[in-house]
Every structure is written in structure tokens, then in C-alpha cells.
Amino acid sequence: MTAVRRRPQEPRWDPARQISVDHRSPVPLYFQVASQIEDAITSGALPVGARLDNEIELAGNLGLSRPTIRQAIGSLVDKGLVVRKRGAGTQVVFNHVKRSLELSSLHDDLTGIEAHPTTRVLVNEICHPPEEAARALGLSEQDEVLHLERVRSARGEPIARMRNYLPAALIKPGDEDLTERGLYQLLRAAGVRLHAAQQTIGARTATDEEADLLDEPPGAALLTAQRITHDHTGTIVEYGTHVYRASRYTFDLTLRGNT
């Protein structure tokens, strides 16, 4: 009787064994851990349904504190890559489609489709941040930030009002710079390496001021987007709150189901 030869199974990707952290690196420890787990998920080494060790075990195996591991796992939860399940631990729920896609600004996107973007600068100032922006940037309300507000138009028609807060030392653009170039272009030109962002999309009605700026009737439907952007070291470099005309703008997302 001929024996059936079984293909050897590939070893399971084990965070406790395969994550390496550098305590001397300026990159935050939680970000080092989260990035390596994210890479394993996107490569398929950690497939949908895979479970991670609990926080106490993972912290002990990696020689890190439990709050550091909790922050790393929390960032993966925020990205929709894993979920915490009572009695089942942390489980991978989403597997990225690998494709060439980089962080882009609205200016970049409109330029790419030849929509001839133009910009009207409303605010360009150094100031103390409001509470929400300070919290998002990890700063205090006594720190200084660059506060920008602009209206972006496409083919001569306003489509978005954008409000951004950045650490004051990053860039010092003039109004002409903001008119001619996108914010992310200016950041990259200053040597900032954009790495990742968390974005929340919602909807609400326009205030009178927004309706006037966007050429919409008061109470018109608006799409909203809040974004927190990190550089390659995990440092937060931008907090943005934007509103878009729902009659002129849509977010196009690709969703993938389990098969």
C-alpha cells in the first residue's frame, strides 16, 4: 500500500517569537509591535481567524509593559484589522489586499483626474490648538500648532472645506504655497515621510457658514472626514477635519468579503 505523502504545514507566525523591538530606536515601542503584526496580516502570515496571545502573555514574551501591548493592539483594532472577543482573545478579522496605494491629499486626487484643483486660503496661522486638536495630536493646549483652513474647488466649483492642525515646527507655508500645492506635497518636500492614517467618515448637515462657502443651501447634506496622520516613526503629524459636498463628492471604497 502506497503511503500518502502529506505536504508539511508552514509554521504558524508567532508574534512572541517573530516580533523584534529596539528599545534604542526613536520609534515608539507600541508602533514597532503594531507595524510588525500589521505586516504579518497584510502578507497573509496571520490569516483571517488567527488569534493572538493575550496581552499579558505577549507583554511577558516580548519584555514589554502591558499598556504598550494594549496600545499596539488598540491601534490594530482602530484600523479594523483585529477585534477583541470576550473569551476568545484578539482575532484577525480583515486581510488587506496588497496594492500600490499611498496617502494622498484631495489636491493630489483631483490633479490625478485632471479636475484642475484650485484653493482659497481662509486661515494660515500659528496658534494654540483647541482641546480636540490638541488631544488628537498628543499635544497640550499651551503648545503651538499650524492652523490651516481652505476651500478646495474642482473645475471652478467648490467641493470641500478643509481644516488642518499640525505641530508648528513641521512646515511654515505661505498662502501661495497652499494655493499651488497640496498639504501632503508640502510635508513630503519638507522631508516628512507619511506612513499611515486613521480616517473616520461620517455625514451631517451644513451650517450657514459652510453652505455659503460651498455654494449649497443651508442644511444641505455634507460628508465628513476626520484624519490623524502618522509619519514613519509613528509620530502624529496632522489632524484634519474636512467637509465635502455630498452632491458633488463621494468616497469610493473597496470592500472584500470572506470566501
Side-chain angles (χ1 to χ4, degrees), residues 11-234:
R12 173 179 174 269
W13 193 88
D14 183 358
R17 294 180 180 177
Q18 290 163 280
I19 288 177
S20 62
V21 294
D22 183 355
H23 290 264
R24 297 169 297 179
S25 170
V27 179
L29 294 173
Y30 88 90
F31 193 81
Q32 294 184 44
V33 173
S35 296
Q36 291 174 69
I37 295 176
E38 182 175 351
D39 288 344
I41 294 172
T42 58
S43 70
L46 269 177
V48 172
R51 287 180 171 82
L52 304 180
D53 294 337
N54 67 50
E55 292 176 359
I56 296 176
E57 292 175 344
L58 197 53
N61 288 327
L62 294 176
L64 298 173
S65 69
R66 188 177 178 185
T68 295
I69 297 300
R70 185 181 300 116
Q71 188 176 10
I73 300 300
S75 70
L76 297 172
V77 171
D78 290 342
K79 291 183 178 182
L81 299 175
V82 302
V83 293
R84 293 186 176 104
K85 293 186 175 181
R86 186 181 298 276
T90 302
Q91 187 174 14
V92 177
V93 294
F94 182 78
N95 196 1
H96 279 301
V97 177
K98 195 76 172 178
R99 63 182 196 175
S100 178
L101 183 67
E102 64 176 16
L103 282 171
S104 62
S105 65
L106 179 57
H107 187 280
D108 296 336
D109 295 338
L110 294 175
T111 299
I113 61 173
E114 299 184 355
H116 310 295
T118 57
T119 304
R120 175 185 169 196
V121 179
L122 305 176
V123 177
N124 179 9
E125 65 177 3
I126 300 294
C127 65
H128 298 298
E131 179 183 359
E132 180 184 6
R135 185 170 60 250
L137 291 169
L139 302 174
S140 76
E141 293 180 56
Q142 285 69 49
D143 289 319
E144 289 191 334
V145 296
L146 173 63
H147 170 210
L148 304 174
E149 293 193 30
R150 296 155 294 154
V151 173
R152 181 65 44 75
S153 297
R155 301 185 180 96
E157 197 172 10
I159 60 169
R161 192 239 47 202
M162 303 174 295
R163 179 182 289 125
N164 300 84
Y165 295 92
L166 302 86
L170 278 183
I171 55 173
K172 295 179 173 60
D175 286 0
E176 185 176 347
D177 297 319
L178 296 168
T179 299
E180 295 180 352
R181 305 173 71 184
L183 178 59
Y184 285 4
Q185 288 180 319
L186 295 171
L187 285 170
R188 290 186 178 106
V192 178
R193 293 167 56 188
L194 303 174
H195 174 75
Q198 295 88 46
Q199 181 160 287
T200 303
I201 298 170
R204 61 174 174 80
T205 57
T207 64
D208 290 347
E209 179 189 14
E210 291 165 341
D212 183 59
L213 289 172
L214 297 175
D215 196 21
E216 288 279 1
L222 298 178
L223 297 171
T224 67
Q226 291 189 342
R227 178 183 286 190
I228 297 175
T229 305
H230 301 255
D231 68 8
H232 69 293
T233 71

